[in-house]
Amino acid sequence: MIPDPEKVIIAALVQSMPDLVVAGRPRIYPQAPPDWDKQSFLVVRATGGGASRHPHLYAVCYFEIEAFAPARGAASELARRANAAISQASRNSFRYETPEGGGYLFGFREVNAPSLIYDGLTSKHGDTWMFQGTYQISVRALR
Protein backbone atom coordinates (compact mmCIF):
# COMPACT_ATOMS: atom_id res chain seq x y z
CA MET A 1 0.00 0.00 0.00
CA ILE A 2 1.24 3.48 -0.86
CA PRO A 3 1.66 5.65 2.26
CA ASP A 4 0.13 9.10 2.71
CA PRO A 5 2.44 11.42 0.69
CA GLU A 6 2.08 14.22 3.26
CA LYS A 7 3.39 11.98 6.04
CA VAL A 8 6.35 10.88 3.91
CA ILE A 9 7.23 14.48 2.98
CA ILE A 10 7.06 15.61 6.63
CA ALA A 11 9.23 12.65 7.73
CA ALA A 12 11.81 13.51 5.05
CA LEU A 13 11.93 17.14 6.18
CA VAL A 14 12.24 16.16 9.85
CA GLN A 15 15.22 13.96 8.99
CA SER A 16 16.79 16.55 6.69
CA MET A 17 16.29 19.57 8.95
CA PRO A 18 17.21 18.47 12.50
CA ASP A 19 17.46 22.08 13.68
CA LEU A 20 13.64 22.21 13.45
CA VAL A 21 13.36 19.50 16.10
CA VAL A 22 13.17 21.28 19.46
CA ALA A 23 12.91 19.34 22.73
CA GLY A 24 12.20 16.19 20.74
CA ARG A 25 9.31 17.74 18.80
CA PRO A 26 9.61 18.68 15.14
CA ARG A 27 8.36 22.10 14.08
CA ILE A 28 7.07 20.71 10.79
CA TYR A 29 3.30 20.32 10.73
CA PRO A 30 0.37 19.44 8.45
CA GLN A 31 -1.35 22.60 9.75
CA ALA A 32 -0.28 25.59 11.80
CA PRO A 33 0.11 24.87 15.53
CA PRO A 34 -1.87 26.79 18.19
CA ASP A 35 1.22 28.82 19.19
CA TRP A 36 2.14 29.48 15.56
CA ASP A 37 3.03 33.13 16.17
CA LYS A 38 5.74 32.24 18.74
CA GLN A 39 8.09 30.11 16.61
CA SER A 40 9.68 29.52 13.22
CA PHE A 41 8.17 26.45 11.55
CA LEU A 42 7.07 24.73 8.34
CA VAL A 43 3.61 23.63 7.26
CA VAL A 44 3.29 20.93 4.58
CA ARG A 45 -0.01 20.68 2.72
CA ALA A 46 -0.22 17.80 0.25
CA THR A 47 -2.87 16.21 -1.92
CA GLY A 48 -3.51 12.54 -1.40
CA GLY A 49 -2.26 11.61 -4.87
CA GLY A 50 -4.16 10.16 -7.77
CA ALA A 51 -2.44 11.70 -10.79
CA SER A 52 -0.30 8.61 -11.42
CA ARG A 53 -0.50 6.64 -14.65
CA HIS A 54 -0.09 3.53 -12.49
CA PRO A 55 -1.89 4.31 -9.21
CA HIS A 56 -1.35 0.76 -7.93
CA LEU A 57 2.43 1.34 -8.13
CA TYR A 58 2.91 4.97 -7.11
CA ALA A 59 1.12 8.23 -6.25
CA VAL A 60 1.91 11.66 -7.66
CA CYS A 61 0.96 14.61 -5.50
CA TYR A 62 1.26 18.36 -5.44
CA PHE A 63 2.21 19.95 -2.17
CA GLU A 64 3.03 23.29 -0.63
CA ILE A 65 5.63 24.11 1.95
CA GLU A 66 4.87 27.24 3.94
CA ALA A 67 7.73 28.71 5.97
CA PHE A 68 6.87 30.99 8.89
CA ALA A 69 9.40 33.11 10.79
CA PRO A 70 9.56 36.44 12.67
CA ALA A 71 11.73 38.11 9.98
CA ARG A 72 11.55 38.19 6.20
CA GLY A 73 15.10 36.88 5.74
CA ALA A 74 14.55 34.02 8.16
CA ALA A 75 11.30 32.95 6.47
CA SER A 76 12.91 33.11 3.03
CA GLU A 77 15.91 31.08 4.17
CA LEU A 78 13.72 28.48 5.86
CA ALA A 79 11.64 28.09 2.68
CA ARG A 80 14.73 27.73 0.48
CA ARG A 81 16.28 25.20 2.88
CA ALA A 82 13.08 23.14 2.87
CA ASN A 83 13.02 23.24 -0.94
CA ALA A 84 16.61 21.97 -1.09
CA ALA A 85 15.99 19.35 1.62
CA ILE A 86 12.99 17.74 -0.05
CA SER A 87 14.69 17.85 -3.45
CA GLN A 88 17.71 16.03 -1.99
CA ALA A 89 15.47 13.54 -0.17
CA SER A 90 13.82 12.71 -3.49
CA ARG A 91 17.18 12.28 -5.26
CA ASN A 92 18.26 9.98 -2.41
CA SER A 93 14.98 7.99 -2.60
CA PHE A 94 14.09 8.82 1.00
CA ARG A 95 12.71 5.67 2.63
CA TYR A 96 9.68 5.93 4.94
CA GLU A 97 8.71 2.93 7.04
CA THR A 98 5.80 2.21 9.37
CA PRO A 99 4.50 -1.05 10.83
CA GLU A 100 1.80 -1.01 8.12
CA GLY A 101 4.30 -0.57 5.26
CA GLY A 102 6.01 2.45 3.83
CA GLY A 103 7.38 3.99 0.68
CA TYR A 104 10.02 5.93 -1.20
CA LEU A 105 10.09 9.48 -2.54
CA PHE A 106 11.09 10.15 -6.15
CA GLY A 107 10.38 12.49 -9.05
CA PHE A 108 10.57 15.87 -7.28
CA ARG A 109 9.67 18.93 -9.37
CA GLU A 110 9.47 22.58 -8.34
CA VAL A 111 6.20 24.08 -9.62
CA ASN A 112 6.53 27.55 -8.01
CA ALA A 113 9.68 28.64 -6.22
CA PRO A 114 9.28 29.92 -2.65
CA SER A 115 7.87 33.43 -2.66
CA LEU A 116 6.56 35.94 -0.15
CA ILE A 117 2.87 35.38 0.61
CA TYR A 118 2.36 37.78 3.48
CA ASP A 119 4.58 40.01 5.50
CA GLY A 120 4.81 41.69 8.85
CA LEU A 121 3.66 45.01 7.42
CA THR A 122 0.40 43.97 5.76
CA SER A 123 -0.76 40.96 7.76
CA LYS A 124 -2.67 40.96 11.05
CA HIS A 125 0.48 39.66 12.75
CA GLY A 126 3.23 42.22 12.34
CA ASP A 127 5.86 39.85 13.68
CA THR A 128 5.27 36.99 11.21
CA TRP A 129 6.42 36.48 7.62
CA MET A 130 5.45 33.57 5.36
CA PHE A 131 7.05 32.22 2.19
CA GLN A 132 5.41 29.45 0.19
CA GLY A 133 6.62 27.10 -2.54
CA THR A 134 4.61 24.59 -4.58
CA TYR A 135 6.04 21.26 -5.68
CA GLN A 136 5.21 17.89 -7.20
CA ILE A 137 6.60 14.57 -5.95
CA SER A 138 5.92 10.86 -6.33
CA VAL A 139 5.70 8.18 -3.65
CA ARG A 140 5.87 4.46 -4.29
CA ALA A 141 5.25 1.62 -1.89
CA LEU A 142 8.08 -0.43 -0.42
CA ARG A 143 8.59 -3.68 -2.22
Side-chain angles (χ1 to χ4, degrees):
M1 178 178 202
I2 299 168
D4 179 346
E6 189 173 85
K7 289 180 180 178
V8 181
I9 293 163
I10 290 173
L13 288 169
V14 167
Q15 179 178 305
S16 300
M17 301 178 77
D19 60 304
L20 287 179
V21 179
V22 177
R25 300 190 66 169
R27 292 184 297 171
I28 303 171
Y29 309 99
Q31 64 185 32
D35 62 344
W36 68 270
D37 59 336
K38 295 173 178 52
Q39 59 176 307
S40 295
F41 64 95
L42 297 174
V43 171
V44 174
R45 300 179 196 277
T47 64
S52 170
R53 289 186 179 157
H54 303 284
H56 61 288
L57 298 175
Y58 66 95
V60 177
C61 77
Y62 286 93
F63 67 100
E64 297 172 344
I65 297 177
E66 300 169 347
F68 292 83
R72 179 187 171 119
S76 174
E77 179 186 0
L78 187 57
R80 289 180 284 117
R81 286 181 50 228
N83 179 340
I86 200 67
S87 175
Q88 185 66 46
S90 174
R91 285 192 303 277
N92 293 344
S93 298
F94 174 78
R95 182 182 176 101
Y96 175 77
E97 292 187 63
T98 68
E100 299 81 37
Y104 291 97
L105 290 178
F106 71 98
F108 173 83
R109 183 173 72 89
E110 182 180 80
V111 176
N112 291 310
S115 59
L116 180 65
I117 299 301
Y118 69 79
D119 60 48
L121 299 175
T122 61
S123 71
K124 292 180 185 177
H125 300 276
D127 56 351
T128 303
W129 298 71
M130 193 259 276
F131 277 69
Q132 178 184 62
T134 305
Y135 311 95
Q136 179 183 348
I137 203 161
S138 297
V139 179
R140 72 175 173 84
L142 295 176
R143 293 182 187 173

